[in-house]
Amino acid sequence: MTSAFEAPPPIREDDLSNMMRTYKPRTPGVRHLKRPINDHLWKGRAHLPLTYPRKGHGIGGRNNSGRVMVRHRGGGHKRRIRVVDFSRMEAGKHTVERIEHDPGRSAHIALLNHDGTQEKSYIVAAEGMRAGDVVQSYRKGIPADLLKSMGGVMDPAMIAAKTAWRGNCLPLHMIPPGTLIYNIGLRPGAHGQLCRSAGTYGQLVGSSDAQRQVTDETQRKSKNIYVNVKLQSGEVRKIHKQACATIGVASNANYNRRQLGKAGRSRWLGIRPTVRGVAMNASDHPHGGGRGKSKGNVIPISIWGRTPAKSGYKTRKKSNVNRAVVVPRFRNQGRRKRDQSGGGTRR
């Protein structure tokens, strides 16, 4: 028996995990400032070999010809882009050296050190991950020492008990149903694409063919290549079972509860102001012009005048059906959220 698979990482129940840091209002800018308490983050610089400078007119939302593709972008503090490994193809044990803040994303990142080759890499950190934890990737298969510790028997329940730990990357068919996962891939051999923002996760709910009665055995084997993953929006998608996912929830779950406190903090983040259409001239926006705050008795539309700007207007073609969606998400312009919070439904 080897000691590499004895116990999973500890469950840390921090009393500060659900608290926000507030400040005494010595200035108006900090009166409404609220931040998540993340005292475990690294205070120094990033690992420079895994970064490169963020420069060019793309910072201002421009494309290669200089045209504005994304409005309300520009300025902000200097940044360096962190090269994050979303694929996790390297097998072997990786030790977490530290948890860092990444200015390019809402979740935290973890600096890993490969125990064999001493190579360093960044991954999206899981909630509760700390320095000293050991994580692995099983995308290339089950290691020989793990099989030897189980007596050479391929027991799926035993494999899941020894591999489905926080921060480990596994193929979806090796993850037990009901497990919370993040950094979910969509195709075999591809990198993770879903649930990479702070506090996001999906839940594996089982095989996509479990509800169907397939009599032919060959037909059952050919069709049972997908698993169902339920996302936080309520949408259930079928994903190939050879795609990857990481066990846990993406870190920095209280990110959506933060308050910047002042307009200048948005400018530091590279976010420029958003001007209302009714405050513009008629030549600048379909809602502009006129006397007073009137948009000219027209329906709310975008600045380009092509699509409605509210009520969840769908731009997807009806002929282009997303066949990966098993159960679509609930669309009602936020009424469900207001009902759950006790606000009632607005008539």
Side-chain angles (χ1 to χ4, degrees):
M1 290 289 219
T2 61
S3 60
F5 306 97
E6 287 186 355
I11 299 176
R12 300 179 177 90
E13 296 181 356
D14 193 356
D15 295 335
L16 304 178
S17 58
N18 292 323
M19 296 179 61
M20 304 292 290
R21 175 164 288 147
T22 58
Y23 301 85
K24 184 175 290 188
R26 293 187 173 92
T27 61
V30 299
R31 179 178 294 275
H32 300 289
L33 178 62
K34 289 185 180 181
R35 290 170 169 170
I37 299 178
N38 294 314
D39 295 335
H40 61 282
L41 293 182
W42 173 250
K43 303 300 189 298
R45 299 191 67 184
H47 185 62
L48 289 182
L50 294 177
T51 64
Y52 61 92
R54 177 176 178 259
K55 62 173 72 173
H57 60 200
I59 296 176
R62 271 75 172 174
N63 63 357
N64 57 354
S65 63
R67 293 180 179 269
V68 176
M69 295 288 104
V70 182
R71 299 193 301 156
H72 317 134
R73 299 286 181 90
H77 199 281
K78 286 200 306 182
R79 298 182 183 179
R80 294 186 69 87
I81 303 296
R82 275 69 168 171
V83 181
V84 180
D85 181 16
F86 296 111
S87 300
R88 304 281 302 274
M89 296 298 296
E90 188 68 28
K93 294 199 299 182
H94 294 73
T95 302
V96 178
E97 283 197 5
R98 61 197 187 215
I99 309 295
E100 298 184 9
H101 165 73
D102 187 354
R105 68 189 68 254
S106 56
H108 299 150
I109 57 176
L111 181 63
L112 304 185
N113 185 25
H114 194 283
D115 290 359
T117 62
Q118 302 301 318
E119 292 186 1
K120 298 184 184 299
S121 60
Y122 277 126
I123 66 168
V124 178
E127 185 71 20
M129 183 181 289
R130 295 293 185 270
D133 291 353
V134 178
V135 296
Q136 294 197 51
S137 175
Y138 298 95
R139 296 197 65 178
K140 292 186 177 179
I142 303 173
D145 50 356
L146 177 58
L147 280 176
K148 185 178 179 180
S149 66
M150 297 188 300
V153 179
M154 293 285 291
D155 186 3
M158 185 64 69
I159 293 176
K162 291 180 176 291
T163 59
W165 298 347
R166 180 187 60 226
N168 287 354
C169 184
L170 295 88
L172 288 175
H173 67 88
M174 291 179 59
I175 301 176
T179 306
L180 299 183
I181 53 179
Y182 73 101
N183 191 29
I184 307 168
L186 295 179
R187 294 177 301 277
H191 62 278
Q193 294 177 258
L194 301 180
C195 303
R196 303 193 314 199
S197 299
T200 57
Y201 61 88
Q203 187 176 22
L204 195 68
V205 295
S207 173
S208 62
D209 296 310
Q211 294 85 8
R212 292 188 292 180
Q213 298 294 330
V214 182
T215 56
D216 189 12
E217 185 65 26
T218 59
Q219 188 179 6
R220 183 189 299 274
K221 291 182 179 179
S222 63
K223 285 188 175 183
N224 194 16
I225 60 174
Y226 296 101
V227 295
N228 288 342
V229 176
K230 184 177 181 180
L231 305 178
Q232 287 175 292
S233 62
E235 178 178 297
V236 178
R237 296 177 65 99
K238 64 176 183 179
I239 303 177
H240 200 283
K241 66 179 183 180
Q242 295 294 340
C244 67
T246 306
I247 306 297
V249 178
S251 55
N252 199 14
N254 288 325
Y255 176 81
N256 61 341
R257 297 175 56 194
R258 78 198 189 287
Q259 294 181 11
L260 298 182
K262 62 178 183 179
R265 207 172 297 274
S266 291
R267 302 306 298 265
W268 298 344
L269 297 175
I271 304 172
R272 299 183 67 232
T274 301
V275 181
R276 296 168 296 123
V278 294
M280 299 183 187
N281 295 324
S283 59
D284 298 326
H285 199 280
H287 297 169
R291 298 194 177 188
K293 298 180 180 179
S294 172
K295 57 182 172 50
N297 197 22
V298 296
I299 62 173
I301 54 179
S302 64
I303 190 174
W304 305 279
R306 292 192 294 266
T307 58
K310 59 180 297 186
S311 301
Y313 181 77
K314 297 179 182 178
T315 58
R316 190 184 189 97
K317 293 182 180 180
K318 293 184 179 180
S319 60
N320 186 18
V321 180
N322 190 352
R323 303 186 185 278
V325 176
V326 179
V327 179
R329 63 185 177 91
F330 192 66
R331 301 172 185 265
N332 62 351
Q333 288 79 52
R335 286 194 294 269
R336 180 180 62 169
K337 188 174 182 179
R338 289 196 299 269
D339 294 342
Q340 292 177 353
S341 62
T345 303
R346 183 163 50 182
R347 300 287 182 182

